[in-house]
Amino acid sequence: MHWTKQAQHDFQNMPAEGSELVMSARAELITAEDPYFRGIDADASLPHWMTVRPLASTSPGGPHIVDLAGGRGWLIYTFMR
């Protein structure tokens, strides 16, 4: 997992509760069978506090956003093959 410099700085300076949430989301994303969670039950295997969707509906294979803790936080990510 690579961070932009700003994202890495922000991560290193967030409260412990926030960084634990980010690391939990990261673990879910990197172990997912399908990192883009396509299908009817797209988020069925995710914890109840996470939802995943494309950042732009016109680019389903591009950047995605994961909403954390009921929308109180989010990560934008792109999987590189």
Side-chain angles (χ1 to χ4, degrees):
M1 180 173 173
H2 296 286
W3 303 83
T4 63
K5 287 192 180 288
Q6 183 63 50
Q8 184 175 20
H9 177 266
D10 293 345
F11 175 75
Q12 291 171 340
N13 290 298
M14 69 174 46
E17 181 180 310
S19 61
E20 288 173 17
L21 191 62
V22 168
M23 294 310 287
S24 294
R26 177 187 177 273
E28 293 291 335
L29 293 171
I30 64 173
T31 59
E33 188 172 317
D34 177 0
Y36 292 117
F37 306 102
R38 293 186 182 106
I40 294 171
D41 293 325
D43 297 334
S45 65
L46 295 177
H48 70 279
W49 50 269
M50 283 179 69
T51 57
V52 175
R53 60 186 163 80
L55 193 57
S57 61
T58 56
S59 182
H64 275 59
I65 187 166
V66 57
D67 292 308
L68 308 171
R72 283 180 255 152
W74 67 91
L75 296 172
I76 297 174
Y77 67 93
T78 303
F79 279 94
M80 307 301 288
R81 300 201 191 293

